[in-house]
Amino acid sequence: MNDTEPCKRLREVRARIAAAAAAAGRDAAGVRLLAVSKTFAPPALAALAACGQRDFGENYLQEALAKIAALRPSHPDLRWHFIGPLQSNKTRDVAAHFDWVHSVERLSVAQRLSRQREGRAPLQVCVQVNVSGEASKSGVEPAQLDALAHAVAQLPNLRLRGLMAIPAPATTLAAQRAPLARLREQFERLRSAGLELDTLSMGMSADLEAAVLEGATLVRVGSALFGARAKPV
Ligand SMILES: *Cc1c(COP(=O)(O)O)cnc(C)c1O
């Protein structure tokens, strides 16, 4: 057992996931852990990689590109997930350097990603959904989700894996679960309509238990793994 501080934090987060999965009657192996490393420097990521962590999530493109360049030579097996706001001027670099994108919310952006991914393994994508109404400006509105999801699923160099949401913060378990349940309903509906989705990307440090109870297959955890971030983001 590796007893560095990062490995201890990783074990604690995995234990939280395992306890929530047990409470939900789920197999914890069905919940992938994405380490959200925004604002942390490459040595912090390398320390977590040394404990066995493979999936890392980044929000800010320039910061992410520098970290990927620094870590890829020594850690070619890491998987990089882009989870931040995605405008069209960022798609070329995202298509070139990332394995996953969780924050697709416009068809024009998805089309650019697909064109720019030409000739490589498909980019794995999630559509981000606004499940918190007025409280959030990010994500496609539920009323527009079907059209967007079906169009993204047709793009040749993307593989639509599922849905992602960042609900407005809430303090009680019930209040945390409500928007996550809405995302899960949309996910199940799209699956019933024939889309082969397997990824429900929801849950962060403060609400990962609620997310696992509502069926998350991937939780995005930052501060519980790396400590508090210096700047609020
Ligand atoms: C920062 C961030 C996270 C992780 O948040 P923590 O509260 O630090 O766990 C997850 N998802 C997205 C999209 C983020 O921007």
Side-chain angles (χ1 to χ4, degrees), residues 34-38 40 57-60 82-85 102-103 128 164-166 201 203-208 219-229 233:
L34 176 62
V36 176
S37 41
K38 63 185 172 206
F40 292 96
E58 290 283 339
N59 295 59
Y60 310 111
F82 190 78
I83 63 173
H102 293 235
S103 43
Q128 183 173 353
M164 179 273 231
I166 312 172
S201 168
M204 319 203 306
S205 295
D207 64 353
L208 74 85
V219 292
R220 308 179 310 266
V221 177
S223 47
L225 288 172
F226 292 103
R229 287 181 291 274
V233 282

Side-chain angles (χ1 to χ4, degrees), residues 39-103:
T39 79
F40 292 96
L45 282 68
L48 208 59
C51 320
Q53 179 63 29
R54 288 291 168 269
D55 290 279
F56 288 87
E58 290 283 339
N59 295 59
Y60 310 111
L61 184 61
Q62 295 313 320
E63 177 194 334
L65 294 177
K67 283 186 220 177
I68 294 172
L71 286 165
R72 207 159 240 164
S74 51
H75 297 80
D77 55 340
L78 300 185
R79 286 180 294 264
W80 296 96
H81 299 239
F82 190 78
I83 63 173
L86 183 53
Q87 296 87 27
S88 26
N89 63 348
K90 300 184 191 168
T91 55
R92 182 169 298 282
D93 282 328
V94 168
H97 297 286
F98 284 82
D99 304 293
W100 280 71
V101 175
H102 293 235
S103 43

Side-chain angles (χ1 to χ4, degrees), residues 178-191:
L180 302 169
R182 289 198 288 278
L183 190 69
R184 183 198 189 144
E185 276 165 33
Q186 301 287 350
F187 178 74
E188 297 299 349
R189 226 175 26 74
L190 290 172
R191 277 166 38 124

